[in-house]
Amino acid sequence: MDDAQNWHEITLTAERVEALRKRADQHKYDHGHAVVLSGGAGRTGAARLAGRAALRIGTGLVTLGVPGSAQMEVACQETAIMLRRVDDPLALESLLADDRLNAFCIGPGFGVGERCRACVALICGANRSVVLDADVLTSFSDDPEALFALVWNRPVVMTPHKGEFRRLFPDLAGADPRVACRKAAMRAGCTILLKGSETSVADADGGLGVHNPDGKRAAPYLATAGSGDVLAGMICGLLARGFVPVAAAETAAWLHAEAGRRIGAGLIAEDLPEALPAIFAEIGL
Ligand SMILES: NC(=O)C1=CN([C@@H]2O[C@H](COP(=O)(O)OP(=O)(O)OC[C@H]3O[C@@H](n4cnc5c(N)ncnc54)[C@H](O)[C@@H]3O)[C@@H](O)[C@H]2O)[C@@H](O)CC1
Ligand SMILES: Nc1ncnc2c1ncn2[C@@H]1O[C@H](COP(=O)(O)OP(=O)(O)O)[C@@H](O)[C@H]1O
């Protein structure tokens, strides 16, 4: 399916608003436990942004998986977010043994290379919901088929910007972004969110949602370092809360843009998670 006209506009539906609500009889484990894997010392900012976003979007618990070299750096910055030492794939395996840790985010600031590829293989092999962003996408640029074999038919959301998209799907990079996103999702066999001033979300069956198709929800101040890391954390948080991949990606895209629109000029990535409580109040949560 490559019909450029066959798509829906991404909005915040009533059903998704209800799914964001916390009921009085629920406790934190009812809202999931998200894990964001961090890079080493001096490279933890992106994962911390993602973790903060996952917490603000309502995940019950958020843990940052951090190499020993960066533990003090992260511990000095975080309070509500928990910390586990994860130096290597072996340590990740022990985290994966606890099935209460139900959604993962890997890529932001993680570092490119074999350690990254091995961790992605473990998470996907355990069939965990996961957001694959940034350095994960770059780590597989020499062998995209190896990544597609890992994610095929799994609860995965990939979140490339156009540079990362080109590395994984060089033959699609010149096409209309909506068509390219749909073809990429069908090729990879998972949900893909293609970032930009217009954001597309496609699933493996050919479904396609477009955010801001007419430019009326423009949020140009989102073009700032770390804003994509926050989006990855929002999606991960919604996966932990039980949203299916497409719903998590679309809902996060809408909320992320709404936060960007409200903050406007002067926005920095740290502001985005902090804008969520006011948005939630306004939509009736
Ligand atoms: N506070 C932090 O700790 C931050 C950490 N970051 C991390 O820094 C690492 C590198 O990420 P980058 O995205 O900067 O670098 P990448 O190395 O993935 O790609 C950047 C290159 O892609 C090109 N490109 C083409 N189209 C693009 C588009 N639409 N958007 C962005 N770049 C495009 C750029 O020109 C640039 O040369 C990642 O691990 C990321 O998570 C960044 O997210 C920034 C903030
Ligand atoms: N001009 C723009 N208008 C609206 N949103 C934008 C614009 N430029 C970037 N964005 C959004 O900002 C985020 C940037 O993500 P990304 O490129 O991964 O940055 P980073 O890696 O620094 O976090 C994406 O959600 C993207 O859709």
Side-chain angles (χ1 to χ4, degrees):
M1 189 192 306
D2 61 357
D3 177 3
Q5 305 308 315
N6 185 12
W7 53 273
H8 63 272
E9 182 171 355
I10 294 174
T11 58
L12 192 63
T13 61
E15 185 190 2
R16 289 179 184 168
V17 172
E18 279 317 299
L20 287 165
R21 193 179 300 285
K22 291 190 175 183
R23 294 194 322 268
D25 61 337
Q26 292 178 304
H27 59 71
K28 64 186 176 189
Y29 282 98
D30 292 325
H31 303 298
H33 190 158
V35 178
V36 180
L37 296 176
S38 172
R43 296 179 52 91
T44 66
R48 286 188 285 108
L49 284 167
R52 181 84 180 173
L55 198 59
R56 276 284 185 210
I57 213 150
T59 312
L61 306 90
V62 177
T63 291
L64 283 173
V66 181
S69 66
Q71 262 182 308
M72 283 308 289
E73 174 181 319
V74 173
C76 290
Q77 307 266 0
E78 300 299 340
T79 306
I81 292 178
M82 297 177 292
L83 202 60
R84 286 278 293 270
R85 182 168 177 168
V86 181
D87 284 306
D88 50 30
L90 199 64
L92 176 60
E93 269 188 290
S94 87
L95 275 191
L96 288 165
D98 181 348
D99 57 18
R100 293 175 304 174
L101 310 184
N102 63 335
F104 285 71
C105 172
I106 175 169
F110 189 78
V112 173
E114 180 49 36
R115 171 173 162 266
C116 183
R117 290 190 291 270
C119 289
V120 172
L122 284 174
I123 296 167
C124 292
N127 206 27
R128 283 306 207 289
S129 296
V130 63
V131 180
L132 303 179
D133 187 35
D135 293 346
V136 165
L137 309 175
T138 305
S139 289
F140 284 92
S141 53
D142 287 342
D143 189 3
E145 294 298 332
L147 177 61
F148 305 157
L150 293 174
V151 303
W152 182 263
N153 216 11
R154 302 277 190 195
V156 172
V157 182
M158 283 201 239
T159 52
H161 59 51
K162 293 205 171 72
E164 291 153 350
F165 188 87
R166 188 180 310 115
R167 289 171 214 154
L168 288 179
F169 305 98
D171 57 315
L172 300 177
D176 171 83
R178 301 177 190 181
V179 173
C181 184
R182 170 183 277 145
K183 286 187 172 171
M186 294 173 79
R187 183 182 300 173
C190 72
T191 298
I192 294 187
L193 180 153
L194 177 57
K195 296 183 274 199
S197 53
E198 176 183 284
T199 292
S200 301
V201 175
D203 65 33
D205 298 327
L208 175 67
V210 181
H211 180 264
N212 198 31
D214 53 10
K216 288 193 184 129
R217 284 178 50 81
Y221 296 100
L222 285 174
T224 181
S227 134
D229 304 322
V230 170
L231 178 67
M234 288 180 168
I235 300 169
C236 179
L238 293 175
L239 291 172
R241 294 194 64 185
F243 283 60
V244 298
V246 165
E250 291 194 353
T251 305
W254 193 94
L255 290 167
H256 183 255
E258 184 62 22
R261 279 155 47 80
R262 285 173 184 230
I263 299 160
L267 181 163
I268 61 172
E270 281 95 328
D271 300 333
L272 290 165
E274 312 318 310
L276 288 176
I279 296 172
F280 287 159
E282 204 161 293
I283 62 176
L285 297 185

